[in-house]
Structures are given as structure tokens and as C-alpha cells.
Amino acid sequence: MANRKIVVALGGNAILSKDASAQAQQQALRDTAKTLVAFIKQGDQLIISHGNGPQVGNLLLQQAAGSTEKNPPMPLDTAVAMTQGSIGYWLQNAMNEVLVENGLETEVATIVTQVEVSPDDPAFITPTKPIGPFYSKAECDLIKAAHPEQTFVEDAGRGYRRVVPSPRPIGVIEASVVNQLVSAGIVPITVGGGGVPVVRDNQRFVGREAVIDKDFASEKLAELVGADLLIILTAVDNVFVNFNQPDQKRLEAVSVAEMKDYIAQDQFAKGSMLPKVQAAIDFVESRPESSAVITSLENVGRFLEKGDGTIISMSPVPSQS
């Protein structure tokens, strides 16, 4: 079925492998673009989102190493915006190259996107999202003395890391801009890294030191723009239950109710698969006629051809494979 409005959320492996150089990340994104162009070739309206975890961590390291009193490091919300810009620049260039190679005249544009969060979100009271490098106890004490507003925790015996809030998104400020671009036949790259976290202050929005989960931000965007499909790309072709056990089971067409049962059984790892499953459920519940897919970038071709992947809906239809 063509002409669907599809939000595709790219996982970190679509951008960065072991090589953090600009050249390596640009090449990874060009390979990613070759996969994503298949949606456009079949007539779908594509909206692309992406993570920025490694990139924003690297940027914070660079800022910490090179900052001085006269050249202070930028706050976290600004660092998120900076990586939205750099990754978007690479990705839109990669998409443009591949579109031209395929004889397509579609244009691509990056939006530096603000995502609204609640100032009363409990995440602001209990920061949990680790960012940046590991520090010794002595280094940590020095940083805390200089920045008493920052929170650090001991991380599995590896040292101390700064933790920041990870609030849930409640709105996407540029959602209407995204829809205008889609209506004009332009592919938007948006909510990069979960978006710049902002809170409403009367008629303005103010950035907050936080990191929003990319999958939850992508879900909120898909909901607000009225997407037909949310595709969350990760490192595996399917979601599994009893993962890595002798009786592990691949999930294919599955209902929201079944996924909620699996969550209750603690089947999905909190730091990796659980937020993707929760985001997929949130989207389908907000738009019951739609579906969400969790699969890998490498499996996109098989998904388009045969419906392979984990497809979550209110009333699932068996895959064609």
C-alpha cells in the first residue's frame, strides 16, 4: 500500500559503528539512505528521526576538554541541538545523493526540533540517564564542587557518571512544520536525539538539561502528524520473548494486549527493548487503525516485500512470510 505517512526512527547503528570520525558516520548514513529510499520509491511519505547518544556524549567530552572561562561549554539542550544539526546535515546530504542516483526529485530538509516536556515530570527529581565520560571519585568531587547542580552516580564499578533527567515528551513544537513539509513532498529529518527538551514558560519555551528518549519522541511526533505507520529500527530483525534462552520466541504479528502481557512478565530489557515496545504500544493506542513495527535496518527490504519484522497492532494480521 503506497502513499502511507511513515515515521522511521533510526537506531544508533544506522549512524555510528566503532569509528566516530565524520567520514565514517557519513558513510554509514549513506548506506542507511540506500535503504530508506525504498519507501519513497514505492510512493510513501517519509519522516525520519534519529538518535544521537554517542554523538552528544562525544561532543560533551570535546567541550569538557577544550573549555575555558572565556569559552565555556554549552548547556545540554544546546548540545542536543548541535548534534541534531550535524547529523541532519550528514543525513540530508546522504539522502539527496541516493535520491538523485535513483532518478527521484524528492527534497530533504532538517528541522532543529523542540520537544515539550512537563516541568513537573518526576524525571526531573530523579535523574537516571547517564551521559558523558566516567570519572574517578576524586574527579567527580571536583566537578560537583564546581557544578553543584549536576548529579553523579557510581556506575557498575566503572567509575562515576553524570546522570540527567529523561522526561516523557508531551508535545512536538514543530509538528505542524513537519506536516507542511510532507504535504509539499519534502522528506523531513526531525526530533533528532529525542528533540531539544523544552518547557513552556507563558508564551516562550525554555530549554532544560535533559535527554528525551528518541523512540518516545518519535512516537509523539507520529501521533501528532497522523502517521499511518511508526517504524522503530534497532539491531535485531524481531523482538523476542525468552531472549537468548533455549525456548526464545520470535514475535511477528502481535497485538497490543499480548505485548502488555509480555511487559508484565518482564520480558524486555529496561535499557534497550522496553522503551521501543512501550513507544510502539503508545502509538497504536493513540491511532488504533495504525501499526508499529520494530525491526532492523537490514530487514527493511524484507518488511516491505513480505511484512517481516515485529508488527504491533490492535488486531494483528499474520505476516506474508
Short mmCIF file of all heavy atoms in Angstrom, two decimals, residues 206-232:
data_model
loop_
_atom_site.label_atom_id
_atom_site.label_comp_id
_atom_site.label_asym_id
_atom_site.label_seq_id
_atom_site.Cartn_x
_atom_site.Cartn_y
_atom_site.Cartn_z
N VAL A 206 11.58 27.22 27.09
CA VAL A 206 12.89 27.32 27.72
C VAL A 206 13.54 25.94 27.74
O VAL A 206 12.92 24.95 28.17
CB VAL A 206 12.76 27.87 29.16
CG1 VAL A 206 14.14 27.98 29.81
CG2 VAL A 206 12.05 29.22 29.16
N GLY A 207 14.78 25.84 27.29
CA GLY A 207 15.50 24.57 27.28
C GLY A 207 15.79 24.05 28.68
O GLY A 207 16.00 24.84 29.60
N ARG A 208 15.80 22.74 28.80
CA ARG A 208 16.12 22.10 30.07
C ARG A 208 17.26 21.10 29.89
O ARG A 208 17.43 20.52 28.81
CB ARG A 208 14.89 21.37 30.64
CG ARG A 208 13.74 22.29 31.00
CD ARG A 208 14.07 23.22 32.16
NE ARG A 208 14.32 22.51 33.40
CZ ARG A 208 13.38 22.26 34.32
NH1 ARG A 208 12.12 22.65 34.13
NH2 ARG A 208 13.68 21.62 35.44
N GLU A 209 18.03 20.93 30.97
CA GLU A 209 19.14 19.96 30.96
C GLU A 209 18.55 18.56 31.09
O GLU A 209 18.29 18.08 32.20
CB GLU A 209 20.10 20.26 32.10
CG GLU A 209 20.85 21.57 31.95
CD GLU A 209 22.22 21.37 31.31
OE1 GLU A 209 22.87 20.34 31.58
OE2 GLU A 209 22.64 22.24 30.53
N ALA A 210 18.31 17.92 29.96
CA ALA A 210 17.67 16.60 29.96
C ALA A 210 17.94 15.94 28.61
O ALA A 210 18.40 16.59 27.66
CB ALA A 210 16.16 16.73 30.20
N VAL A 211 17.65 14.66 28.54
CA VAL A 211 17.74 13.91 27.29
C VAL A 211 16.44 13.12 27.14
O VAL A 211 16.08 12.34 28.03
CB VAL A 211 18.94 12.94 27.28
CG1 VAL A 211 18.91 12.06 26.04
CG2 VAL A 211 20.26 13.71 27.34
N ILE A 212 15.73 13.34 26.05
CA ILE A 212 14.47 12.64 25.80
C ILE A 212 14.75 11.37 25.00
O ILE A 212 15.54 11.38 24.05
CB ILE A 212 13.50 13.55 25.02
CG1 ILE A 212 13.22 14.83 25.82
CG2 ILE A 212 12.19 12.82 24.74
CD1 ILE A 212 12.48 15.89 25.02
N ASP A 213 14.10 10.29 25.38
CA ASP A 213 14.26 9.03 24.64
C ASP A 213 13.80 9.22 23.19
O ASP A 213 12.69 9.70 22.93
CB ASP A 213 13.44 7.94 25.32
CG ASP A 213 13.60 6.60 24.64
OD1 ASP A 213 12.89 6.33 23.65
OD2 ASP A 213 14.45 5.81 25.09
N LYS A 214 14.66 8.83 22.26
CA LYS A 214 14.37 9.03 20.83
C LYS A 214 13.12 8.31 20.38
O LYS A 214 12.34 8.81 19.56
CB LYS A 214 15.60 8.58 20.03
CG LYS A 214 15.42 8.50 18.53
CD LYS A 214 15.11 7.08 18.04
CE LYS A 214 16.19 6.10 18.41
NZ LYS A 214 15.85 4.72 17.98
N ASP A 215 12.86 7.12 20.92
CA ASP A 215 11.69 6.35 20.49
C ASP A 215 10.39 6.97 20.99
O ASP A 215 9.40 7.02 20.27
CB ASP A 215 11.83 4.90 20.94
CG ASP A 215 13.02 4.21 20.29
OD1 ASP A 215 13.17 4.35 19.06
OD2 ASP A 215 13.81 3.57 21.00
N PHE A 216 10.40 7.48 22.23
CA PHE A 216 9.20 8.15 22.74
C PHE A 216 8.94 9.45 21.98
O PHE A 216 7.79 9.79 21.69
CB PHE A 216 9.33 8.42 24.23
CG PHE A 216 9.20 7.20 25.09
CD1 PHE A 216 10.16 6.90 26.05
CD2 PHE A 216 8.14 6.33 24.95
CE1 PHE A 216 10.05 5.76 26.85
CE2 PHE A 216 8.02 5.19 25.72
CZ PHE A 216 8.98 4.91 26.69
N ALA A 217 10.00 10.18 21.64
CA ALA A 217 9.82 11.41 20.87
C ALA A 217 9.29 11.09 19.47
O ALA A 217 8.42 11.81 18.94
CB ALA A 217 11.14 12.17 20.79
N SER A 218 9.81 10.04 18.86
CA SER A 218 9.34 9.64 17.53
C SER A 218 7.88 9.22 17.58
O SER A 218 7.10 9.53 16.66
CB SER A 218 10.20 8.49 17.00
OG SER A 218 11.56 8.87 16.93
N GLU A 219 7.50 8.53 18.64
CA GLU A 219 6.09 8.13 18.80
C GLU A 219 5.20 9.35 18.92
O GLU A 219 4.14 9.43 18.28
CB GLU A 219 5.94 7.24 20.04
CG GLU A 219 4.53 6.71 20.25
CD GLU A 219 3.53 7.73 20.80
OE1 GLU A 219 3.91 8.52 21.68
OE2 GLU A 219 2.36 7.73 20.34
N LYS A 220 5.60 10.31 19.75
CA LYS A 220 4.77 11.50 19.93
C LYS A 220 4.63 12.25 18.61
O LYS A 220 3.54 12.73 18.26
CB LYS A 220 5.39 12.40 21.00
CG LYS A 220 4.59 13.66 21.30
CD LYS A 220 3.16 13.37 21.70
CE LYS A 220 3.05 12.62 23.03
NZ LYS A 220 1.64 12.44 23.43
N LEU A 221 5.71 12.36 17.85
CA LEU A 221 5.64 13.01 16.55
C LEU A 221 4.69 12.25 15.62
O LEU A 221 3.83 12.86 14.97
CB LEU A 221 7.03 13.08 15.92
CG LEU A 221 7.05 13.65 14.50
CD1 LEU A 221 6.77 15.14 14.51
CD2 LEU A 221 8.38 13.35 13.82
N ALA A 222 4.84 10.92 15.55
CA ALA A 222 3.98 10.10 14.68
C ALA A 222 2.51 10.29 15.03
O ALA A 222 1.64 10.37 14.15
CB ALA A 222 4.38 8.63 14.78
N GLU A 223 2.24 10.37 16.31
CA GLU A 223 0.87 10.60 16.79
C GLU A 223 0.36 11.96 16.32
O GLU A 223 -0.76 12.08 15.80
CB GLU A 223 0.90 10.51 18.31
CG GLU A 223 -0.40 10.68 19.03
CD GLU A 223 -0.20 10.66 20.54
OE1 GLU A 223 0.66 9.88 21.03
OE2 GLU A 223 -0.91 11.40 21.23
N LEU A 224 1.18 13.01 16.48
CA LEU A 224 0.74 14.37 16.20
C LEU A 224 0.59 14.65 14.71
O LEU A 224 -0.25 15.47 14.31
CB LEU A 224 1.72 15.37 16.81
CG LEU A 224 1.75 15.41 18.34
CD1 LEU A 224 2.89 16.30 18.83
CD2 LEU A 224 0.42 15.90 18.91
N VAL A 225 1.40 13.99 13.87
CA VAL A 225 1.29 14.23 12.43
C VAL A 225 0.31 13.28 11.76
O VAL A 225 0.09 13.36 10.55
CB VAL A 225 2.67 14.15 11.72
CG1 VAL A 225 3.64 15.16 12.31
CG2 VAL A 225 3.24 12.73 11.78
N GLY A 226 -0.30 12.37 12.53
CA GLY A 226 -1.26 11.44 11.96
C GLY A 226 -0.64 10.40 11.06
O GLY A 226 -1.15 10.09 9.98
N ALA A 227 0.48 9.83 11.50
CA ALA A 227 1.17 8.82 10.69
C ALA A 227 0.36 7.54 10.60
O ALA A 227 -0.42 7.19 11.50
CB ALA A 227 2.54 8.52 11.29
N ASP A 228 0.54 6.84 9.50
CA ASP A 228 -0.09 5.53 9.32
C ASP A 228 0.75 4.41 9.92
O ASP A 228 0.24 3.35 10.24
CB ASP A 228 -0.29 5.24 7.82
CG ASP A 228 -1.16 6.29 7.15
OD1 ASP A 228 -2.34 6.44 7.56
OD2 ASP A 228 -0.65 6.98 6.24
N LEU A 229 2.04 4.67 10.05
CA LEU A 229 2.96 3.62 10.50
C LEU A 229 4.15 4.25 11.21
O LEU A 229 4.68 5.27 10.76
CB LEU A 229 3.46 2.84 9.27
CG LEU A 229 4.27 1.56 9.47
CD1 LEU A 229 3.42 0.49 10.15
CD2 LEU A 229 4.76 1.04 8.12
N LEU A 230 4.52 3.66 12.33
CA LEU A 230 5.75 4.02 13.05
C LEU A 230 6.70 2.84 12.97
O LEU A 230 6.34 1.73 13.38
CB LEU A 230 5.45 4.35 14.51
CG LEU A 230 6.67 4.49 15.45
CD1 LEU A 230 7.53 5.68 15.03
CD2 LEU A 230 6.22 4.63 16.90
N ILE A 231 7.88 3.07 12.41
CA ILE A 231 8.88 2.00 12.29
C ILE A 231 10.06 2.36 13.16
O ILE A 231 10.71 3.40 12.97
CB ILE A 231 9.34 1.81 10.83
CG1 ILE A 231 8.15 1.49 9.93
CG2 ILE A 231 10.39 0.71 10.75
CD1 ILE A 231 8.50 1.34 8.46
N ILE A 232 10.35 1.52 14.15
CA ILE A 232 11.49 1.72 15.05
C ILE A 232 12.58 0.73 14.64
O ILE A 232 12.40 -0.48 14.77
CB ILE A 232 11.06 1.52 16.52
CG1 ILE A 232 10.00 2.56 16.91
CG2 ILE A 232 12.28 1.60 17.45
CD1 ILE A 232 9.42 2.35 18.30
#
